Amino acid sequence: MAALIPALPALARVIRPSTLLEPARLRRRLGLDVFLASETFQHTGSFKFRAAYHVASSITQNRVITASSGNFGQAMACACQMLGKECRVVMPDTSAAVKIEAVREYGGTVELIDVKRKGRQERVRELAAADPEAYVASPYDDPLVIEGNSSLGEELGLLTRSLDCVLTPVGGGGLASGLVQGLRRSGRGIQVFGVEPHVANDAARSLRAGRLLANDTEPATLADGVRTLSLGRHNWAILQDGLTDIVEVSELEIQEGVRLLFLYANLKVEPTGALGVAALLARPDLFRDRSVCCVVSGGNVDPGVFCRILGG
Amino acid sequence: MAALIPALPALARVIRPSTLLEPARLRRRLGLDVFLASETFQHTGSFKFRAAYHVASSITQNRVITASSGNFGQAMACACQMLGKECRVVMPDTSAAVKIEAVREYGGTVELIDVKRKGRQERVRELAAADPEAYVASPYDDPLVIEGNSSLGEELGLLTRSLDCVLTPVGGGGLASGLVQGLRRSGRGIQVFGVEPHVANDAARSLRAGRLLANDTEPATLADGVRTLSLGRHNWAILQDGLTDIVEVSELEIQEGVRLLFLYANLKVEPTGALGVAALLARPDLFRDRSVCCVVSGGNVDPGVFCRILGG
């Protein structure tokens, strides 16, 4: 069917600008001057495309290998498809069928593995050894990823409205470090706050300790986009003094964030995308009398998960 | 709490431009060159604000009376609040609590009536007789409403991308007639197709008969935004030769439209908002090899209704 679809109009920029929303009813409920930068309508439905496209268009290699069960795999497959490159995505064989289908739809080759028998990184190393001319792409720990994500920081830095601080989910730190880097270019002194689930607070602990700490196991948070063991090293180097603070939120606050965005902003967001609003619920006094932008990182969520949250 | 919220930035236009989306996965599934003009992020979450604001800002009266259990009541209350005017909204006492709450949140006075004992229009006439200086606002049958909605047609007419036809829900005909009027100004010959549920096909029958016909009773369609008895007279005057055709869709196609927009465009839409996509499912051959814009009219839907549709 793909051949039936005309190409996107030549005038369209490749990276879609973030969708800026100022929902009156959400603002009233939170009692804060908040607006949203939603990446749910970015190519492949999350901010990850910013990084993936920058990586794929910057490297000389024509083949990319990556491990991702989530948004980065889709984003890299799509970016490679647009650029006429090949993309292999290593995914656990327990991944949801819709996620595997999405990567394939964007032309990616899916390598399913039994993670009990072989780790994802191990399989990536095998594939890389067999194809030394391929580029092995990390979803966050790569200066090219950070630079790609910095485009969102630049967009926000150019806004003519008042903006004191930006709230962003923190997993591997790719988005947060990109925002810090992009916002610095505006010279406006806009602060960046990270947001982490309590149960996945490795970055908050790292910031307090002044050194990079990791979770022992993949954290069991609803926000599947931040189920990482630790920040990447390149990300930590930027976030160590680039983040103003990290707000930790409960799983219930994440759910309430998803619900509020549905009810009062007409937005469909994945749990990770609601972390910013969850932080405003958790620590409203931190943001009183300030202009706050919540980055809604993505919208890819299964109907079943979504409706359980809405009904909960 | 409202006092805590700073005014929207002075630079923002009052009417928000439609959110234009070109979702690759939806396009691939439909096999058509389709894009979306989503009014789900318009003030009050639907296109109705375009008309309401134009009415409220054009009239000399300081008080508005209207009957609406849905989006027009919220939109008119919000427009009046912005302009420092008063708004009374007559609603059945069986209206969902969230809808009553929304009108009140925008500063509207809600007049609840027992529709078994007294019709909505009858109560509007009583209120108008008691306050002859108030403006009685129709949600569709008013040249000011049509002119307000024409702003969306103008926006679409100004797009630099190819655009052959626009698909729009048809209830009272306020949006469809506004689109026809606004698109005519572009002189591009862009066609307008209406979309109606089979069970509420008064406009399709009217078009075929060449005269204004009505449904016997309020149609029992999932698309609550088009549960009208007939087109308005001002709307019919424009649509009679302004519409290229009307596509009729089943309730199942409406549900499938809501699901496709959730899964492949990350959009939360109310059933009426999915009518355009439903028409592409019902009559794909009509739109093959053409550039099609589906107007997504609004996003206000209860979580319960929404999740029943997603799960169905």
Side-chain angles (χ1 to χ4, degrees):
Chain A
M1 278 219 291
L4 291 173
I5 315 293
L8 294 176
L11 287 175
R13 294 159 51 175
V14 175
I15 303 292
R16 294 178 178 155
S18 209
T19 303
L20 302 177
L21 305 169
E22 214 160 15
R25 298 186 74 193
L26 181 70
R27 288 159 59 86
R28 204 174 288 137
R29 251 154 205 81
L30 295 170
L32 297 168
D33 177 20
V34 57
F35 70 101
L36 311 173
S38 181
E39 290 284 292
T40 62
F41 306 118
Q42 188 55 261
H43 293 285
T44 69
S46 85
F47 77 96
K48 294 275 186 184
F49 181 80
R50 293 176 181 267
Y53 191 81
H54 188 69
V55 169
S57 61
S58 300
I59 58 178
T60 55
Q61 291 89 334
N62 285 316
R63 291 185 299 283
V64 176
I65 300 167
T66 192
S68 163
S69 53
N71 285 327
F72 191 71
Q74 281 186 52
M76 186 52 88
C78 178
C80 284
Q81 187 178 51
M82 285 182 177
L83 293 159
K85 300 193 174 193
E86 286 173 31
C87 179
R88 276 177 191 275
V89 183
V90 176
M91 301 177 79
D93 59 9
T94 52
S95 301
V98 290
K99 294 191 172 176
I100 297 170
E101 181 197 346
V103 171
R104 289 191 175 138
E105 230 186 284
Y106 289 116
T109 303
V110 175
E111 298 272 344
L112 291 177
I113 52 160
D114 177 351
V115 287
K116 286 180 204 127
R117 294 177 51 198
K118 188 179 287 185
R120 279 190 269 184
Q121 291 313 322
E122 190 184 342
R123 182 64 185 141
V124 167
R125 278 191 296 271
E126 281 179 8
L127 291 170
D131 183 5
E133 290 186 13
Y135 186 86
V136 176
S138 160
Y140 47 90
D141 199 3
D142 179 337
L144 287 176
V145 163
I146 298 170
E147 181 57 24
N149 290 333
S150 78
S151 59
L152 178 53
E154 278 188 20
E155 278 179 41
L156 298 178
L158 288 171
L159 293 181
T160 52
R161 65 155 288 154
S162 63
L163 174 55
D164 299 315
C165 46
V166 173
L167 270 66
T168 173
V170 174
L175 176 57
S177 55
L179 283 166
V180 167
Q181 190 160 292
L183 283 164
R184 272 184 185 150
R185 290 183 199 130
S186 76
R188 288 173 62 185
I190 296 164
Q191 296 183 330
V192 179
F193 287 78
V195 188
E196 267 188 325
H198 281 304
V199 296
N201 69 347
D202 57 286
R205 289 185 290 116
S206 299
L207 216 59
R208 285 195 288 270
R211 65 196 170 86
L212 191 51
L213 300 175
N215 300 308
D216 295 330
T217 56
E218 188 175 282
T221 171
L222 188 61
D224 56 348
V226 296
R227 284 183 199 148
T228 40
L229 290 181
S230 76
L231 295 169
R233 302 206 159 265
H234 292 97
N235 313 100
W236 170 242
I238 292 172
L239 295 175
Q240 194 169 9
D241 52 20
L243 279 186
T244 301
D245 204 351
I246 291 187
V247 176
E248 295 175 50
V249 300
S250 69
E251 299 298 298
L252 279 176
E253 284 157 347
I254 297 171
Q255 293 187 43
E256 184 63 9
V258 172
R259 272 199 294 270
L260 289 176
L261 288 165
F262 179 91
L263 289 171
Y264 303 117
N266 273 349
L267 265 187
K268 172 205 169 191
V269 306
E270 59 187 73
T272 307
L275 281 171
V277 171
L280 299 180
L281 294 170
R283 301 284 307 277
D285 289 340
L286 216 47
F287 303 101
R288 198 81 64 195
D289 301 319
R290 312 185 71 188
S291 291
V292 183
C293 174
C294 290
V295 173
V296 177
S297 53
N300 299 331
V301 56
D302 291 336
V305 172
F306 192 67
C307 287
R308 275 195 295 280
I309 294 173
L310 288 189
Chain B
M1 274 215 296
L4 291 174
I5 315 294
L8 295 176
L11 287 176
R13 294 159 51 173
V14 175
I15 304 291
R16 294 178 179 154
S18 209
T19 303
L20 301 177
L21 305 169
E22 216 160 14
R25 299 186 75 194
L26 181 70
R27 289 158 59 87
R28 204 174 288 134
R29 253 153 203 81
L30 295 170
L32 297 168
D33 177 20
V34 58
F35 70 99
L36 311 173
S38 180
E39 289 284 292
T40 62
F41 306 119
Q42 187 55 264
H43 294 284
T44 70
S46 85
F47 78 95
K48 294 277 186 183
F49 181 80
R50 293 176 182 266
Y53 190 82
H54 188 66
V55 170
S57 62
S58 299
I59 58 176
T60 54
Q61 290 90 333
N62 285 316
R63 292 184 299 283
V64 176
I65 300 168
T66 193
S68 162
S69 53
N71 285 327
F72 190 72
Q74 281 186 51
M76 186 53 87
C78 178
C80 285
Q81 187 178 51
M82 285 181 177
L83 293 160
K85 300 193 174 193
E86 286 173 31
C87 180
R88 275 176 192 275
V89 184
V90 176
M91 302 177 78
D93 58 9
T94 52
S95 301
V98 289
K99 294 191 172 176
I100 296 170
E101 181 198 346
V103 172
R104 289 191 175 137
E105 229 185 286
Y106 289 116
T109 303
V110 175
E111 298 272 342
L112 292 177
I113 53 160
D114 177 351
V115 286
K116 284 179 207 132
R117 294 177 52 197
K118 188 178 291 186
R120 278 190 268 183
Q121 291 314 320
E122 190 185 342
R123 182 64 183 140
V124 167
R125 278 192 297 270
E126 281 180 8
L127 290 170
D131 183 3
E133 290 185 13
Y135 186 86
V136 177
S138 160
Y140 47 90
D141 198 3
D142 178 338
L144 288 176
V145 163
I146 298 170
E147 180 57 24
N149 289 333
S150 77
S151 59
L152 178 53
E154 278 188 21
E155 278 178 41
L156 299 177
L158 289 171
L159 293 180
T160 53
R161 66 156 286 154
S162 63
L163 174 55
D164 300 314
C165 46
V166 174
L167 270 66
T168 172
V170 174
L175 176 57
S177 54
L179 284 165
V180 167
Q181 190 160 292
L183 284 164
R184 273 186 185 148
R185 289 182 198 131
S186 75
R188 288 173 61 185
I190 296 165
Q191 295 183 331
V192 179
F193 286 78
V195 188
E196 268 187 326
H198 281 303
V199 297
N201 70 347
D202 56 286
R205 290 185 290 117
S206 300
L207 216 60
R208 286 195 289 270
R211 64 195 170 87
L212 190 52
L213 300 175
N215 300 308
D216 295 331
T217 55
E218 188 174 282
T221 171
L222 189 60
D224 56 348
V226 297
R227 284 182 200 150
T228 39
L229 290 181
S230 77
L231 295 169
R233 303 206 157 265
H234 292 98
N235 314 101
W236 170 242
I238 292 172
L239 296 176
Q240 194 169 9
D241 51 19
L243 279 187
T244 301
D245 203 351
I246 291 188
V247 176
E248 295 175 49
V249 300
S250 70
E251 298 299 298
L252 279 176
E253 284 157 348
I254 298 172
Q255 293 186 43
E256 185 62 9
V258 172
R259 272 198 294 269
L260 290 176
L261 287 165
F262 179 92
L263 289 171
Y264 303 116
N266 273 349
L267 264 188
K268 172 206 170 190
V269 307
E270 58 187 70
T272 307
L275 281 171
V277 171
L280 299 179
L281 294 170
R283 301 284 306 278
D285 290 340
L286 216 48
F287 303 101
R288 199 80 66 194
D289 300 321
R290 311 185 70 188
S291 291
V292 183
C293 173
C294 290
V295 173
V296 177
S297 54
N300 299 330
V301 57
D302 291 336
V305 173
F306 193 68
C307 288
R308 275 195 296 280
I309 294 173
L310 288 189

